[in-house]
Amino acid sequence: MTMKRLRMAVIGVGALGRHHARILSELDGVELVAVADSQADRGQEIAAKHQCRWVPDYRQLLDKNSVDAVSVVVPTLAHRAVAGAFLENGIPTLVEKPLAGNVTQAKELVDLASRNDALLQVGHIERFNPAFQAAQKIIHSPKYLRCERTSTYTFRSTDIGVVLDLMIHDIDLILSLVKSPLRKCEAFGIGVMGNHEDAAQARLYFENGCIADVTASRVSPVASRSMTAWSASGVVTVDMHLREVKRFAPSPVLLHGTPPLKLAAAPGTDLEALKRNVFGHFITTENPSVELTGPDALTQELTEFAQCVKTGKNPCVTGKDAYAAMVIADQVLRQIAAHQWDGRPQGDTGPYPNTDLPLRKAS
């Protein structure tokens, strides 16, 4: 007996949504039946390319007779209205990260999904990065995490700042590793290009003692995505851009042999030789294998969504997971807004320390 193909639609086929449409049109067991986009030229182009229907208004698809599931790839500030409409109708929904434009709307989407028994998956795509997947297997009970995510200014996602645009990725990854409630948050940020913060720094303190430093910038001359995790068993570094993982751990010589500082203090010791032997003799270096031959991260994410719709299983990133990241992002944004650049309440606060510049005046 042949299983019915899953009828899916993509809502919003801009720079990212068109890739959702392409991948869904090629997935086994999935039929891309429609794309919705208010820009006729763009919507018609993608629909013709993938031989499906184009509709100018997503509300034309709010019917289980039309679609079995949807992927929502519209601007963040429209997530609540668009994704919420499908969830209200009990239609399984994948919504791109961040879950919503603010934490209140994020909670509303999670509640809508629960009340209407509708699957809600959120596109935190870095969970499918092969480097992170490899590192996750060897990072146990981290005590300190340092994450850095930078990019050039793309002139996309300008409806939100860098915290919801980029930092939210690392907040989600950190929560997947730490698995502990947040105790305290410290943060500051600065706006450069418009009415939102474009660079931000946060320090997160968790109840289990773990501390995470998170850096995000979308006004950097170079792109980077990295994580370093310290634990009792050693240090793991992850380059999610190059998709490389390294692990540094104490060697048996360091754990059970003569302490290196005692060796260094011994008469006649060759200190230069000791320096050369730090890595390899005292500290072992490993390069865990990273699977680079499988489907790309977006294909994995959409494949998982389709499988979850069919089987009823929970996805890697549920609405509740994404909401937890939004709660912390909200605290980061609150700290940024309250930061006193002059160290006094009467001075400048928030991401615009010089409000005399018209460009930097918050709307």
Side-chain angles (χ1 to χ4, degrees):
M1 182 177 178
T2 303
M3 182 177 291
K4 176 187 173 185
R5 298 179 75 191
L6 195 66
R7 299 167 303 162
M8 292 189 63
V10 177
I11 315 302
V13 285
L16 180 56
R18 63 182 55 229
H19 292 297
H20 281 241
R22 171 182 55 81
I23 292 168
L24 290 174
S25 72
E26 298 170 351
L27 279 188
D28 289 338
V30 171
E31 179 185 3
L32 180 66
V33 296
V35 295
D37 200 293
S38 59
Q39 294 190 25
D41 290 348
R42 185 166 68 189
Q44 290 171 353
E45 174 200 348
I46 301 301
K49 186 174 183 179
H50 301 300
Q51 300 180 326
C52 67
R53 176 187 175 200
W54 164 71
V55 296
D57 191 330
Y58 69 90
R59 285 167 289 197
Q60 294 176 249
L61 301 173
L62 293 175
D63 183 350
K64 289 185 177 180
N65 292 322
S66 300
V67 294
D68 298 313
V70 296
S71 181
V72 175
V73 200
V74 297
T76 300
L77 297 186
H79 283 187
R80 170 61 182 88
V82 179
F86 287 100
L87 293 171
E88 284 178 346
N89 284 274
I91 296 173
T93 301
L94 167 66
V95 60
E96 265 299 338
K97 69 81 201 167
L99 175 54
N102 60 56
V103 70
T104 299
Q105 293 180 353
K107 181 62 164 58
E108 290 171 354
L109 288 176
V110 172
D111 290 344
L112 278 173
S114 178
R115 285 200 304 270
N116 294 284
D117 194 25
L119 171 68
L120 173 58
Q121 180 174 333
V122 183
H124 281 280
I125 197 169
E126 288 286 30
R127 293 282 198 107
F128 298 91
N129 186 304
F132 177 75
Q133 291 179 330
Q136 192 173 25
K137 298 174 183 177
I138 58 174
I139 297 175
H140 306 294
S141 302
K143 293 303 178 185
Y144 176 65
L145 291 159
R146 186 174 67 216
C147 299
E148 180 179 272
R149 187 172 299 265
T150 67
S151 75
T152 57
Y153 198 79
T154 64
F155 292 91
R156 294 201 299 267
S157 297
T158 56
D159 58 333
I160 55 177
V162 75
V163 172
L164 293 183
D165 184 14
L166 297 184
M167 187 180 284
I168 193 79
H169 280 297
D170 292 310
I171 292 174
D172 172 66
L173 296 182
I174 289 167
L175 289 178
S176 74
L177 294 171
V178 176
K179 302 183 187 305
S180 175
L182 185 72
R183 180 170 62 84
K184 185 175 71 169
C185 166
E186 298 171 351
F188 66 91
I190 188 165
V192 178
M193 297 292 286
N195 292 329
H196 297 284
E197 79 289 346
D198 294 308
Q201 178 73 40
R203 170 164 281 195
L204 309 176
Y205 298 82
F206 293 91
E207 293 289 354
N208 67 356
C210 183
I211 295 174
D213 283 325
V214 197
T215 299
S217 171
R218 59 184 185 184
V219 285
S220 170
V222 295
S224 69
R225 291 179 287 159
S226 66
M227 171 184 286
T228 305
W230 279 259
S231 68
S233 60
V235 179
V236 176
T237 65
V238 191
D239 189 319
M240 283 172 278
H241 183 64
L242 297 178
R243 297 186 293 181
E244 295 177 348
V245 178
K246 292 183 180 180
R247 181 173 182 266
F248 303 93
S251 71
V253 173
L254 183 59
L255 292 173
H256 308 295
T258 303
L261 293 182
K262 188 173 182 179
L263 287 174
T269 296
D270 185 344
L271 290 179
E272 292 303 316
L274 276 182
K275 291 178 186 178
R276 291 193 297 270
N277 289 329
V278 168
F279 289 94
H281 188 66
F282 296 112
I283 299 174
T284 62
T285 303
E286 302 172 15
N287 296 90
S289 61
V290 177
E291 177 57 60
L292 300 177
T293 59
D296 64 85
L298 184 57
T299 298
Q300 290 186 54
E301 180 181 87
L302 290 168
T303 299
E304 183 194 57
F305 178 56
Q307 291 174 344
C308 289
V309 173
K310 292 177 181 178
T311 64
K313 292 182 179 179
N314 281 329
C316 178
V317 184
T318 65
K320 290 182 179 179
D321 294 327
Y323 172 68
M326 284 290 299
V327 169
I328 292 183
D330 180 66
Q331 294 191 44
V332 171
L333 288 169
R334 289 176 183 273
Q335 289 294 312
I336 289 174
H339 179 71
Q340 298 173 0
W341 290 96
D342 301 320
R344 53 190 178 85
Q346 297 82 7
D348 290 334
T349 59
Y352 304 97
N354 184 354
T355 53
D356 292 333
L357 293 176
L359 178 65
R360 293 181 176 179
K361 288 183 178 178
S363 60

